[in-house]
Amino acid sequence: MTPTLRGRARSKTSKTSPTSPTSSASPKAVARRVAGHVARGLAMIWVVATISFVIIREIPGDPVKGQYESLIQKGMSPEQAERATAVLYGFLPTGSLWEQYTGYINSLLHLDLGRSLSTPGVEVTTLIGSAARWTVLPVLAGTLLSFLLGVIMGVYAAIKRSGRLGDVLALSGSLLHGVPVYVIGLLLTAIFATLWPIMPSGGPVDVEHVPGLNPGYLGSLAHHAVLPVVTYTLASYGGWILAMKSNVVAVLGDDFILAAELRGLKRGIVFRYIARNAILPLFTVLALSIGMLFGGSIFIEQIFNYPGLGLLLVGSISSRDYALMGGTFLVITIGIVVANIVADLLYTAIDPRVRSGGAA
Amino acid sequence: MSIMTNAQETTDPRSAPGGTPGVTRATLRRNFWRGVWRVLRRKPSRMVGVVIVAGFAVMGVAGPLLYPDHLPRDDDALYAPPSLRHPFGTDFEGTDVLALVITGARYVLLTGLATAVITVALGTLIGLFAGFRRGRWDTVLMRVTDVNLAIPGLPLLLVLSTVWKFESPLEMGLVLGLLGWGGIARAVRSQTLSLRERGFIEAARGLGLPTTHIIGRELLPSMAPYIAMNMLIAVTGAVYAQVGLFFLGVLPFESNNWGVMLNLAVFNGGALTTAAALPYLMAPLLAILLLTLGIVLIVDAMDEIFNPRLREE
């Protein structure tokens, strides 16, 4: 019974006072909400850490033990070899499963993800840190662009849903939403880098430029970022246009739109009523979309040879650098968890209706 | 949702509550098929979707039977340009690309089917259970669903590929299904929650009908179209993930499929830098595009048939 009751109560408050701050919009409620999210996020990170621990342990051939034994063969004492392996993977090669697990979690708590095997001696956190910016910036740019495009096109698709234009828009949205991101990326590269070479085919920047704030370097950066960002944009544009369209269609049937029309308000104002109410639920989709784009970055970076987290993850698997693999996987998860929390806070800040109580 | 259906009920006299004594099941069914026909006729493009998906199904079933086990190679025609004999050219060994696409379809489609069945079965069961029982079970199951939704699927698949080689399409489908049921579970739960408060379910409960009857005969049929649409969408998700894994080259190439073709075209054939291998790259891309288009068109048509508010005002 509770969910329906809560739903009814919420819609009632929204109708009586859509904008006035309700009594329950206290900082306390918001703090409780955030605490719930952080707790769930931490649980999520713990699940993923456990998964990567189990996988690193279960990899055929046991790389951890193999490393330990090869170090002993090279003439290290068992204690030295043990310590050297622990530095790499974050847990001791010997001992029970439970000891290894607590060791692994313990080093994670100290923000130690181990060391890379393929780039010897470098800490995994350093590698991830330098890769992250190549992923985060294009993902953010792509998300913003596709959000803007999708929302605007979504309103048109909803209003013109019986016409040719609406059909084409909705179909393009569904198609782009369903088509794998690597299909988009490969098609774009084939067209704009191979057949009609106006874009560079790979890499983040031309090598001849000196890194720094000079126009040549920045221009080359931007030039190389065009195709990846367009791919990110097209990959998530479909989701936005579909979501916005269905929200607008739902809002169009609401009484307050009819009332606004009957009162003879200008089209522009009615349009604003529609858009404002339809756009709100999209902020919950925002989190999912960012998660999807992080997943998509694996393909996009592979296609455009862009040195971000996705390329790091695939590279670590093919070079059997398992500490790096586990670390990258964990950091991608953390990125998604953080994006989730931010999107939810944004939603809370924008929509007065969600601010009631501490119910998630 | 409920607001919209109420609105529809008041505008559509046939489905008005209490006004249906003369309408039998047979006429309802006839009306339904008339609606299907109307939607298909209004936009003939929807028929194209059915044709495309049927074509791929035939390709998956009969495709490998059309060709010998080992496709013929032509050593004189490596990366041959498209011609009448080889509509999409040849690959690095001189094998006909079209034949590769056709024979590779079975693996892709079988995985898609397995994934869709498992995703839908798991998602529907969990969603129904959570929505119908509510209370503690609901809370626990929805927490699990949240985790399932939030785990980055593709990175997890990549990491899993180090310990699991996904040897058969069914195995791959099982893993993809276990990773992908969250969305359907949540949607089915919310539908169940809203449906169980509606009059016909309350009436069924008031009549003392058993729970299996309420779920199987009353709840599920009203959700069936929705579940069917999700099943089709799950196929596109499965194609995305498994072709992607092969494309990245993290799985051993046991048999020919579209992902293997993409990988070889891009990373061995240099299709992104030279135009010679481009047809080899384009053929599987077009196949994926067409399959997605077909599924999207069918889902679109189903959406319009079962979701009256999407029809014109």
Side-chain angles (χ1 to χ4, degrees), chain B residues 251-265:
Chain B
L251 295 180
F253 298 165
E254 302 254 320
S255 62
N256 158 49
N257 67 55
W258 299 344
V260 175
M261 295 177 71
L262 285 181
N263 178 284
L264 293 175

Side-chain angles (χ1 to χ4, degrees), chain B:
Chain B
M1 186 70 200
S2 64
I3 298 171
M4 292 318 301
T5 30
N6 284 342
Q8 181 231 341
E9 271 165 12
T10 45
T11 50
D12 190 353
R14 267 173 309 172
S15 59
T20 51
V23 182
T24 59
R25 226 160 232 273
T27 43
L28 276 179
R29 194 165 296 150
R30 207 163 50 235
N31 282 339
F32 169 76
W33 283 112
R34 211 174 278 159
V36 171
W37 179 238
R38 206 168 44 226
V39 167
L40 286 180
R41 210 181 32 190
R42 201 163 70 79
K43 289 180 194 158
S45 63
R46 271 71 184 275
M47 286 304 286
V48 178
V50 179
V51 171
I52 292 175
V53 172
F56 273 103
V58 171
M59 204 192 261
V61 174
L65 306 176
L66 295 175
Y67 293 93
D69 271 354
H70 294 281
L71 293 171
R73 293 172 186 179
D74 185 353
D75 288 334
D76 302 329
L78 308 184
Y79 290 126
S83 59
L84 265 185
R85 236 186 109 215
H86 305 294
F88 283 96
T90 59
D91 74 348
F92 60 101
E93 305 177 308
T95 314
D96 182 37
V97 169
L98 185 64
L100 282 171
V101 170
I102 292 177
T103 51
R106 181 181 280 183
Y107 186 102
V108 176
L109 295 177
L110 209 53
T111 316
L113 197 65
T115 311
V117 168
I118 294 166
T119 312
V120 162
L122 264 180
T124 310
L125 264 178
I126 291 172
L128 267 179
F129 194 77
F132 206 76
R133 295 300 281 277
R134 299 193 300 204
R136 197 171 300 154
W137 273 106
D138 185 24
T139 319
V140 172
L141 283 175
M142 280 306 111
R143 281 291 131 82
V144 178
T145 311
D146 280 344
V147 172
N148 181 280
L149 275 173
I151 279 193
L154 265 167
L156 179 61
L157 278 172
L158 276 179
V159 173
L160 268 180
S161 73
T162 55
V163 285
W164 198 345
K165 291 303 168 203
F166 307 108
E167 263 142 26
S168 71
L170 294 180
E171 221 173 278
M172 176 87 114
L174 180 69
V175 177
L176 292 179
L178 285 175
L179 285 177
W181 52 267
I184 297 184
R186 197 184 262 176
V188 166
R189 169 183 172 265
S190 68
Q191 294 247 337
T192 311
L193 280 177
S194 93
L195 280 177
R196 63 170 288 153
E197 303 302 325
R198 297 268 296 276
F200 68 103
I201 300 288
E202 255 171 62
R205 243 180 317 191
L207 286 171
L209 293 172
T211 315
T212 46
H213 176 96
I214 296 180
I215 291 181
R217 302 297 297 272
E218 311 284 345
L219 268 180
L220 269 182
S222 17
M223 281 189 270
Y226 185 77
I227 293 171
M229 280 190 265
N230 270 295
M231 196 157 164
L232 281 171
I233 294 169
V235 173
T236 60
V239 171
Y240 173 53
Q242 53 131 352
V243 172
L245 284 179
F246 280 104
F247 164 58
L248 291 175
V250 294
L251 295 180
F253 298 165
E254 302 254 320
S255 62
N256 158 49
N257 67 55
W258 299 344
V260 175
M261 295 177 71
L262 285 181
N263 178 284
L264 293 175
V266 171
F267 299 114
N268 287 13
L272 296 184
T273 44
T274 56
L278 218 47
Y280 182 35
L281 171 71
M282 282 300 164
L285 285 186
L286 280 181
I288 298 171
L289 262 178
L290 257 184
L291 179 61
T292 315
L293 180 71
I295 289 176
V296 159
L297 285 172
I298 291 183
V299 170
D300 200 34
M302 284 176 75
D303 208 16
E304 189 154 334
I305 291 167
F306 295 107
N307 202 347
R309 69 183 156 139
L310 287 183
R311 279 182 222 153
E312 54 200 317
E313 302 91 276

Side-chain angles (χ1 to χ4, degrees), chain A residues 223-279:
Chain A
H223 193 206
H224 280 255
V226 169
L227 280 184
V229 169
V230 168
T231 313
Y232 279 119
T233 308
L234 287 179
S236 64
Y237 155 83
W240 293 122
I241 189 173
L242 292 182
M244 189 64 188
K245 183 194 162 191
S246 76
N247 288 344
V248 170
V249 171
V251 170
L252 279 178
D254 271 353
D255 293 342
F256 70 91
I257 297 296
L258 187 64
E261 273 170 3
L262 289 179
R263 274 187 289 156
L265 292 183
K266 282 194 198 111
R267 278 189 75 100
I269 296 175
V270 178
F271 186 85
R272 217 159 65 204
Y273 280 10
I274 297 172
R276 276 195 178 170
N277 280 280
I279 213 169

